Amino acid sequence: MDDQAHAARSMWNCLHDWWTMLPKDKRSLAAADAAIRQARREIDWLGVLPAQAGQAVLKTYVQAWKNCWEWRADEPNFKARLRTVMSVDIPQGRGLQIKRVHRRWRMVNIPKVGRVRFRWTKVLPVGKLANRENRITGARLVKDGLGWHIAFRVQTLESKPEPHTGPEIGIDAGVNLPLALSDGHHQDHGRLARLPDGTADRDKWLNPDEKAKLFRLEQRAAHRKSFRKPKERSSNRLNRTYDQIKQLRARATRRAVDWQHKTTTGIAQQYGTVVVEQLNITNMVKSAKGTIEEPGTNVAQKSGLNRSISQEAWGRTVTMLTYKTGRYGGTLHRVPAPSTSLRCSACGFLTPGSREGQATFVCKNPDCGWCGNADWNAARNILHLYRIGLVAIPAAGRAVVRRTRGVKLAAAR
């Protein structure tokens, strides 16, 4: 399976090189397919990959260019050996031949590998449960630090859900409080974002013993790496240490994804309309180093904040909410993000100095004086932007009116 994954990655790189070198008028699916067939005949280690998996690499590569042309993603690029997730696609499901071993395990047929046992975690349409409307159409093998995993593609006929009649909710994503709801509740994963000394916890999803083990492994890896000469291959001992670090990282990622699935499912089942911010996370996690001529400030603090934002994986949470709200008959809307955490949700004014701290909001408007949790205040503003119809505009709060100096009036209030 490792050989097939490396062959698929190499075929992607060869295909990318071939595609970018050819003139535009000579690029076609037929020519690419002929090149792949010739490469599998002439190069032995490319022949390890099944023919159907090679066709899946071609389809994925062409779809990557379509996503780029439609401004949904960047251009496809080369896949590095150590930084690329190893995966193999099985585009057809009729040859999988899934059989039951006992209650928790099944057997599946992997092309050019043979019969492999896998853990049964969800009911699949196999045997008597399979028909033309409910059947397995393929699978995908993915490897992480904990080993190989198989994900099945299932075609099923589902009835259209009834419209969800639940209440509306605004959600503010944060670091200390992962999800703050506009009704005053919070979705917390029970893991502190900061250590007792005030620094950001980069391994919040690991327990103390696992953190200590990770620290020892990182020290060991740094020590062994110090003996490696420039452009010299890593030793087997260093690679084994890297594999142990990957296992701990994969375990933390699995716990985070499990919490996100359970939390988003509960939100989608309870609320009919979910409103979130339209965040540009890529720009939010950019480095503050600056240049030699203009060096940045507070680089270490910004680096810790970027790491905390990446750990929370806000984009993955929104993706889960998007398809889960549709599954339960609800809807998800995005509103502009500027000033949602700085504007008072009670009076609608944006007064400087109201955000006194990370979790404290005290309105400085003399006629208001409302105080409360800052994240809850932002969630209420997010919901209010949806209710007044400010969903498709670039920013909120741009009404041109006469107002007191130093105080900005919210739009449509």
Side-chain angles (χ1 to χ4, degrees):
M1 290 167 66
D2 288 347
D3 293 339
Q4 290 190 18
H6 286 302
R9 178 188 56 83
S10 301
M11 184 173 291
W12 173 285
N13 292 338
C14 294
L15 181 62
H16 180 67
D17 199 5
W18 176 88
W19 187 276
T20 53
M21 289 174 57
L22 280 183
K24 293 184 178 180
D25 56 344
K26 294 184 179 181
R27 300 174 185 173
S28 65
L29 289 176
D33 180 66
I36 289 178
R37 293 174 182 270
Q38 182 180 0
R40 293 186 69 256
R41 289 193 301 267
E42 298 179 356
I43 304 176
D44 296 337
W45 49 270
L46 279 183
V48 176
L49 187 68
Q52 295 177 354
Q55 298 297 321
V57 173
L58 175 58
K59 293 180 180 179
T60 306
Y61 182 77
V62 173
Q63 184 61 41
W65 274 112
K66 291 181 179 179
N67 294 338
C68 174
W69 296 332
E70 296 175 2
W71 301 96
R72 294 199 302 265
D74 295 332
E75 292 185 4
N77 52 16
F78 285 90
K79 293 187 176 181
R81 180 182 180 89
L82 299 179
R83 295 191 299 270
T84 303
V85 178
M86 299 178 64
S87 62
V88 180
D89 196 77
I90 305 176
Q92 294 185 0
R94 63 173 180 266
L96 294 175
Q97 301 177 5
I98 301 175
K99 301 295 182 181
R100 177 177 178 177
V101 179
H102 53 77
R103 184 171 62 89
R104 292 188 176 183
W105 293 91
R106 300 292 192 276
M107 297 287 289
V108 62
N109 185 47
I110 306 298
K112 292 196 173 185
V113 175
R115 303 292 291 173
V116 179
R117 189 175 68 168
F118 70 95
R119 183 68 177 266
W120 185 269
T121 58
K122 192 174 182 179
V123 178
L124 296 175
V126 295
K128 297 181 179 179
L129 300 177
N131 50 49
R132 294 188 61 183
E133 297 177 349
N134 299 291
R135 57 192 177 90
I136 296 177
T137 60
R140 186 173 182 83
L141 302 169
V142 182
K143 186 179 182 180
D144 62 3
L146 298 175
W148 281 96
H149 309 274
I150 184 168
F152 295 97
R153 287 189 295 270
V154 178
Q155 175 183 326
T156 181
L157 184 64
E158 294 184 355
S159 59
K160 186 177 180 180
E162 295 293 332
H164 201 302
T165 58
E168 300 172 343
I169 193 68
I171 299 179
D172 175 66
V175 175
N176 288 351
L177 284 177
L179 297 177
L181 308 183
S182 58
D183 58 2
H185 296 87
H186 299 291
Q187 295 293 340
D188 193 1
H189 44 57
R191 300 175 185 271
L192 298 178
R194 298 187 177 276
L195 297 174
D197 57 359
T199 59
D201 188 0
R202 56 177 299 185
D203 306 306
K204 68 178 71 175
W205 293 101
L206 299 178
N207 58 41
D209 294 337
E210 292 170 338
K211 291 181 182 179
K213 181 180 179 181
L214 179 61
F215 181 72
R216 292 194 302 268
L217 290 174
E218 289 178 341
Q219 282 187 323
R220 186 184 305 168
H223 176 70
R224 290 175 175 174
K225 187 178 179 181
S226 63
F227 296 98
R228 189 181 64 180
K229 298 179 181 179
K231 298 183 180 180
E232 185 180 5
R233 292 186 62 181
S234 301
S235 64
N236 292 333
R237 290 184 177 181
L238 180 58
N239 288 332
R240 283 196 296 269
T241 306
Y242 284 153
D243 291 339
Q244 291 176 324
I245 294 175
K246 288 180 182 179
Q247 290 178 3
L248 290 175
R249 297 293 187 193
R251 190 176 303 171
T253 302
R254 184 175 295 184
R255 291 171 182 171
V257 173
D258 178 71
W259 178 86
Q260 287 179 312
H261 271 295
K262 293 178 180 178
T263 303
T264 53
T265 300
I267 293 175
Q269 291 176 342
Q270 183 177 359
Y271 301 101
T273 302
V274 180
V275 188
V276 297
E277 291 178 299
Q278 181 68 45
L279 298 175
N280 191 338
I281 303 176
T282 303
N283 292 338
M284 294 176 64
V285 297
K286 284 187 176 179
S287 176
K289 289 183 178 180
T291 60
I292 298 178
E293 295 79 10
E294 298 181 0
T297 58
N298 299 327
V299 179
Q301 293 85 342
K302 184 63 168 63
S303 178
L305 177 61
N306 294 346
R307 190 182 301 113
S308 299
I309 293 175
S310 300
Q311 269 195 325
E312 293 298 334
W314 297 335
R316 187 167 58 202
T317 301
V318 174
T319 301
M320 293 180 182
L321 283 173
T322 301
Y323 72 81
K324 289 183 180 181
T325 51
R327 178 184 300 172
Y328 292 101
T331 57
L332 183 134
H333 302 276
R334 294 177 175 87
V335 298
S339 302
T340 54
S341 60
L342 302 178
R343 179 177 291 109
C344 178
S345 59
C347 66
F349 285 90
L350 198 157
T351 312
S354 296
R355 185 74 180 264
E356 293 186 350
Q358 189 280 327
T360 306
F361 187 93
V362 179
C363 183
K364 301 302 180 181
N365 183 12
D367 299 330
C368 180
W370 180 87
C371 62
N373 185 275
D375 297 320
W376 182 51
N377 175 73
R380 291 181 60 187
N381 285 326
I382 292 171
L383 180 60
H384 181 73
L385 288 177
Y386 163 74
R387 288 176 173 174
I388 64 177
L390 296 178
V391 178
I393 65 173
R398 294 187 176 178
V400 181
V401 295
R402 293 186 177 274
R403 51 183 174 265
T404 308
R405 185 177 181 180
V407 176
K408 296 181 180 179
L409 182 63
R413 285 201 180 184

